[in-house]
Amino acid sequence: MAAEGARAAEHAAAAAMLLLFETPGGFGLFKVLKGGETREASDLAKDFESPEKAQKLLKLKAFSKFEDTTDALASAAALVDSKLSKGLKKLLKKHVGDDDTLGVFDAKLGGVIKEKLGINCVYSQSVLELLRGVRSMLGELADNLSAKDLHPMALGLSHSLSRYKLKFSPEKVDTMIIQAIGLLDELDKELNTYAMRVREWYGWHFPEMGKIITDNIEYAKTVQFMSTRERAAELDFSGILTEEAEASLKEASIVSMGTEISVQDVDHVKALAEQVISLSEYRAQLYDYLKSRMAAIAPNLTVLVGELVGARLISHAGSLLNLAKQPASTVQILGAEKALFRALKTKHETPKYGLIYHASLIGQSAPKLKGKISRVLAAKCSLSIRVDALGESTDASLGIESRAKVEARLRQLEGKGITAISGGAAAKGALAANGGAAPNGGAAPAYNADADVTVTPKDRKRKADDGAEEKSAKKAKKDKKEKKEKKEKKAKKDKK
């Protein structure tokens, strides 16, 4: 008995409580000295008032440094998911005995360690207070770690972990889309203003040219190439205009009613025309850039509504993630907020669509179906946006599938869809097998017109009279009730 008691005492002395502490530089194992494991959480704060007191309670047993940033990121990502990394597993196997108890900062992680390594783990308020004390006195308890060294490590690791968790990629930056669509809209306004100015200015010299050439860019190129109308007959416009337009232009230049202008005037008009041409070329480049950005960032949304509408939706919401948080009903009327609040204020019908109205699927639908199609399209857009913003796939399979469903719904509403046969697939099969005849082998039952319920003029008149009597009775009853209420109110007033 005495021998067994001595062994038990040795066993208790050999067993120790250890604390697992994670830092940006690696994992640390701290041994809790005698008496520390039994202290209450409220009393532990006094033991970390000074480095001397902290060193009497805790002692660094082992420290495992991260090899590089990749190792640190892998270990931190594993801890976030309550998983056991390779480095931590190796440290615990080497320095934690079978009889030791390990204090951990995460109950789930403790369960994983116990399951895989068979180490008894403790997660309690006392353990959390001890770990809090270690954090406050880390520089004094671990000589090779100081706050000066840990700060850049923590900053680098936090950036790496954020990129890892958010799956950060420069290809997914939606800010570029917001800026590009904003610039594209501004360019369209400027181009329109400049082109109208060129037409108005040059129209004094050659007014007939405005009706012959309707395209603004072709008009600007013609002005830059031709200078004055007198040169039209001797120039070749095949690289700018069609043969018919060229012939009409040359004929009109001979009999034009325009005024004569000086060389200086022509130079200024040509300079403005050059601005129009250069802006239009840059707009084409910007549009191609926007298409490539949208295909990379929101492929499913692009398939459904197109690059321009998709980019405007993202811009209006502020970001792709903000747009993903919106329900389908909000996506449907995004861009029509003024009309919505005006309708709510005046108690009129609310708008059925906003920016989504410019999508090709809504454009090709009949006016009476635009509201229904916009609702269906908004629901599919909402799903596609969430996949684009939060999903990991980069293909547009969901967008293609959703577009097919919206098109099928449009055909169905327009009456082009296949109508269902009553009785489902079995009835269809039976009809097909019988060549369209009834399944029982007999002829299909004919419509019996005699069985229709008809209303004679007398019956209709009688119903109308009954309805009039019923209305007059209701009105008399209502008047009687109102008179009674007035009388009661008057009686109460007289009493007062």
Side-chain angles (χ1 to χ4, degrees):
M1 292 290 288
E4 286 178 9
R7 277 199 298 272
E10 285 175 12
H11 178 75
M17 183 176 178
L18 302 172
L19 286 178
L20 176 62
F21 187 78
E22 48 129 354
T23 70
F27 290 110
L29 274 177
F30 289 87
K31 185 177 180 181
V32 182
L33 300 178
K34 223 172 187 183
E37 64 272 12
T38 57
R39 300 288 297 278
E40 290 293 327
S42 56
D43 299 331
L44 286 169
K46 296 174 184 177
D47 293 319
F48 292 98
E49 288 176 351
S50 65
E52 292 78 16
K53 287 185 179 180
Q55 286 167 358
K56 288 179 182 177
L57 185 67
L58 293 168
K59 183 184 177 183
L60 182 65
K61 184 178 180 180
F63 189 84
S64 174
K65 273 190 175 182
F66 295 135
E67 293 177 5
D68 50 23
T69 310
T70 309
D71 184 26
L73 176 60
S75 299
L79 284 178
V80 169
D81 298 329
S82 299
K83 292 178 181 178
L84 199 60
S85 62
K86 289 181 180 179
L88 181 57
K89 193 174 182 181
K90 191 176 177 183
L91 174 71
L92 295 177
K93 275 186 176 180
K94 187 175 180 181
H95 295 285
V96 182
D98 296 335
D99 301 323
D100 291 340
T101 306
L102 185 66
V104 292
F105 48 83
D106 183 10
K108 286 184 181 178
L109 180 65
V112 172
I113 292 170
K114 186 173 176 62
E115 184 185 342
K116 292 192 174 181
L117 302 178
I119 298 169
N120 292 322
C121 295
V122 179
Y123 174 78
S124 65
Q125 192 61 39
S126 298
V127 170
L128 292 176
E129 282 296 324
L130 283 168
L131 290 169
R132 185 164 167 265
V134 171
R135 190 173 289 107
S136 63
M137 294 285 177
L138 186 60
E140 288 75 16
L141 292 170
D143 297 333
N144 56 342
L145 287 174
S146 64
K148 191 178 178 181
D149 296 331
L150 287 174
H151 181 70
M153 290 181 190
L155 187 63
L157 182 58
S158 63
H159 287 175
S160 301
L161 187 61
S162 298
R163 286 193 185 93
Y164 173 78
K165 293 301 287 182
L166 295 171
K167 303 290 188 293
F168 178 81
S169 169
E171 298 295 315
K172 285 281 184 184
V173 180
D174 52 10
T175 311
M176 302 303 166
I177 285 179
I178 295 167
Q179 297 297 331
I181 191 65
L183 180 57
L184 196 70
D185 290 339
E186 287 175 12
L187 275 175
D188 286 336
K189 289 177 185 175
E190 292 298 322
L191 264 171
N192 190 47
T193 306
Y194 282 14
M196 290 300 104
R197 181 64 63 191
V198 169
R199 282 179 174 275
E200 188 179 346
W201 201 348
Y202 197 74
W204 287 98
H205 176 60
F206 195 176
E208 295 82 6
M209 183 172 153
K211 291 182 180 179
I212 297 167
I213 305 172
T214 54
D215 185 72
N216 290 332
I217 308 304
E218 286 181 1
Y219 191 97
K221 286 180 178 178
T222 305
V223 169
Q224 194 184 32
F225 182 64
M226 182 173 62
S227 295
T228 57
R229 66 171 186 264
E230 289 80 11
R231 296 185 61 211
E234 61 190 44
L235 295 173
D236 180 19
F237 294 93
S238 58
I240 304 170
L241 305 172
T242 59
E243 289 182 9
E244 292 177 4
E246 185 180 356
S248 302
L249 183 70
K250 288 181 178 180
E251 287 175 10
S253 66
I254 299 168
V255 293
S256 177
M257 299 290 290
T259 60
E260 297 295 327
I261 56 174
S262 65
V263 177
Q264 192 177 8
D265 296 333
V266 172
D267 290 341
H268 282 289
V269 177
K270 283 174 70 177
L272 184 58
E274 191 179 346
Q275 287 289 324
V276 173
I277 295 163
S278 62
L279 280 175
S280 67
E281 288 172 355
Y282 175 63
R283 190 205 176 279
Q285 292 174 12
L286 186 65
Y287 179 66
D288 291 339
Y289 166 75
L290 184 63
K291 279 174 71 175
S292 65
R293 290 289 86 210
M294 283 297 293
I297 292 169
N300 294 293
L301 180 63
T302 305
V303 168
L304 274 171
V305 297
E307 298 86 9
L308 293 176
V309 177
R312 286 194 178 99
L313 286 171
I314 293 170
S315 177
H316 198 82
S319 70
L320 185 63
L321 194 61
N322 286 350
L323 188 61
K325 293 174 185 176
Q326 306 295 338
S329 56
T330 304
V331 173
Q332 183 181 346
I333 59 166
L334 208 66
E337 288 82 3
K338 284 185 180 179
L340 173 67
F341 291 120
R342 185 170 59 245
L344 292 173
K345 189 178 178 181
T346 55
K347 295 183 180 178
H348 284 82
E349 288 186 3
T350 54
K352 294 177 181 177
Y353 29 66
L355 291 167
I356 207 170
Y357 176 80
H358 301 287
S360 60
L361 285 168
I362 296 175
Q364 69 193 32
S365 60
K368 64 179 181 179
L369 301 177
K370 287 186 188 295
K372 288 182 179 179
I373 293 299
S374 66
R375 186 164 61 250
V376 174
L377 183 61
K380 296 299 180 187
C381 281
S382 184
L383 290 173
S384 298
I385 292 159
R386 287 165 193 171
V387 170
D388 290 334
L390 307 169
E392 295 181 9
S393 62
T394 55
D395 61 342
S397 55
L398 179 70
I400 295 165
E401 187 183 336
S402 299
R403 188 179 176 92
K405 286 180 181 177
V406 176
E407 287 173 349
R409 176 63 177 154
L410 178 59
R411 285 195 299 272
Q412 185 187 7
L413 289 170
E414 288 176 345
K416 294 178 184 176
I418 299 169
T419 54
I421 300 170
S422 178
K428 288 180 190 178
L431 281 174
N434 290 296
N440 58 8
Y447 180 75
N448 185 8
D450 297 331
D452 286 347
V453 177
T454 56
V455 181
T456 61
K458 286 183 180 179
D459 294 336
R460 195 177 287 112
K461 189 177 180 182
R462 194 182 299 116
K463 282 184 181 180
D465 293 340
D466 292 343
E469 286 176 9
E470 192 178 343
K471 281 182 181 178
S472 61
K474 281 182 179 178
K475 191 178 180 183
K477 193 176 180 181
K478 190 179 179 183
D479 292 341
K480 193 177 179 182
K481 191 177 179 182
E482 285 177 357
K483 283 179 182 179
K484 191 178 178 181
E485 285 175 357
K486 282 180 181 178
K487 199 179 277 186
E488 285 175 359
K489 284 181 181 178
K490 193 177 181 182
K492 284 180 181 177
K493 197 174 181 182
D494 294 341
K495 282 180 183 179
K496 286 179 181 179

